[in-house]
């Protein structure tokens, strides 16, 4: 099973959640749940931290972080920070293919047994589990959604993804669309008029 | 010289006047009083960090929801944050007010190497930088730096020295 097989199980359940995913996962998610509530970071490791910032800024809104094992390992020190803040509205997903797939598929440390769920639990997050099938993944995702507490769900996946079109939106457009989406759905202004006119 | 607590209150008041309501921090001994004041302020969301670069991501995420953010750290933390500053803040044009304790500044023992690379790194990142040395310039400089950050949609750095922190 590949990441896409898992993601498609929850695309219909994600509602108006704000979703942060990078790389190929972002492309897959954009196909599965198109829209402007998807933010696509470019810094390896920071998806989970950006998600935390969004979750703290909009505590009533569901936020989903989608990590790969390379990104997850890059930002292990973000895990205690997330657990310390303990945002009820954040669901952190990890798809562990045991390699840096986008960078040539050399192995990551998870190939030797580094256990992401143990790390997350050790960091202080109460609700963290491995799932072994897309069906189980959906069950755990729905439980996490309903639980409304910080949750982490991880799955071992095979490399690879379906052929998908590239996203024709650059970083700036992604940022502005994401903010405008929040403005529209939250019914409040975030970006003001041009600053020089603010007085 | 003002004592450290009053100096800290002066800095935090300056941040609040310009609307900062979200601050991520990682301590230096010289920043402890500022962090305490931030932590106790009901108008500021305080996020203590384990490593500074995650703070770049956290502040960036908060900015997307309408927060005005600052990242308070020592200059070693600036070095830890360079990729995030580049590929999140600069690439997406996301402002953060960087409040950086200038270890290794003129007369500061033990951190000369760190001090020597601080301004060149900021310059290399294209981040406009202001050094705060006088207590009576704190409010005006913080205000100006935040306006620049919002207006340019980039991080702006303010280097905090011992004299504005009320420490020796």
């Amino acid at each position: 099973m590949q990441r896409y097989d898992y993601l498609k199980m929850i695309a219909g359940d994600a509602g108006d959640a704000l979703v942060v995913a990078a790389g190929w996962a972002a492309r897959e998610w954009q196909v599965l749940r198109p829209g402007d509530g998807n933010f696509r970071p470019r810094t390896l490791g920071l998806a989970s931290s950006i998600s935390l910032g969004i979750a703290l800024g909009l505590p009533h809104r569901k936020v989903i972080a989608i990590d790969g094992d390379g990104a997850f390992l890059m930002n292990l020190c973000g895990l205690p920070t997330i657990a310390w803040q303990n945002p009820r509205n954040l669901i952190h997903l990890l798809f562990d293919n045991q390699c840096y797939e986008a960078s040539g598929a050399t192995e990551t440390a998870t190939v030797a047994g580094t256990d992401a769920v143990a790390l997350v639990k050790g960091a202080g997050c109460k609700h963290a589990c491995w799932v072994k099938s897309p069906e189980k993944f959906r069950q755990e995702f729905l439980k996490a959604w309903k639980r409304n507490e910080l949750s982490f769900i991880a799955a071992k996946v095979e490399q690879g993804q379906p052929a998908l079109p590239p996203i024709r939106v650059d970083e700036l457009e992604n940022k502005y669309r994401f903010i405008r989406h929040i403005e529209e759905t939250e019914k409040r202004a975030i970006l003001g008029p041009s600053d020089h006119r603010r007085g | 010289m003002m004592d450290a607590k009053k100096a800290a209150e002066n800095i935090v008041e300056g941040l609040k006047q310009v609307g900062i309501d979200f601050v991520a921090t990682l301590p230096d001994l010289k920043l402890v009083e500022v962090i305490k004041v931030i932590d106790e302020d009901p108008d500021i969301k305080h996020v203590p960090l384990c490593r500074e670069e995650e703070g770049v991501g956290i502040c960036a995420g908060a900015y997307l929801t309408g927060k005005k953010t600052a990242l308070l750290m020592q200059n070693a933390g600036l070095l830890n944050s360079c990729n995030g500053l580049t590929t999140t803040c600069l690439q997406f044009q996301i402002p953060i007010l960087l409040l950086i304790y200038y270890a290794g500044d003129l007369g500061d023992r033990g951190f000369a190497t760190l001090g020597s690379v601080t301004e060149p790194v900021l310059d290399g990142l294209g981040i406009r930088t202001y050094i705060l040395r006088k207590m009576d310039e704190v409010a005006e400089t913080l205000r100006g730096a935040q306006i620049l950050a919002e207006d340019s949609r980039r991080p702006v750095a303010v280097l905090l020295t011992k004299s504005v922190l009320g420490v020796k």
Side-chain angles (χ1 to χ4, degrees), chain A residues 175-183 190-191, chain B residues 63-64:
Chain A
K175 178 191 76 169
Y176 282 113
R177 284 195 188 193
F178 187 79
I179 293 174
R180 296 302 184 199
H181 176 79
I182 293 175
E183 287 183 331
I190 291 175
L191 297 174
Chain B
Y63 168 80
L64 298 173

Side-chain angles (χ1 to χ4, degrees), chain A residues 9-61:
Chain A
M9 296 297 289
I10 62 160
D13 303 316
D16 68 348
L18 300 166
V19 178
V20 182
W24 268 99
R27 211 187 274 199
E28 293 169 9
W29 185 256
Q30 187 66 21
V31 167
L32 290 165
R33 199 206 63 174
D36 290 334
N38 300 326
F39 188 73
R40 296 178 282 275
R42 296 299 300 271
T43 309
L44 187 70
L46 284 194
S48 57
S49 298
I50 292 169
S51 301
L52 173 60
I54 296 169
L56 293 174
L58 294 172
H60 55 283
R61 190 84 183 256

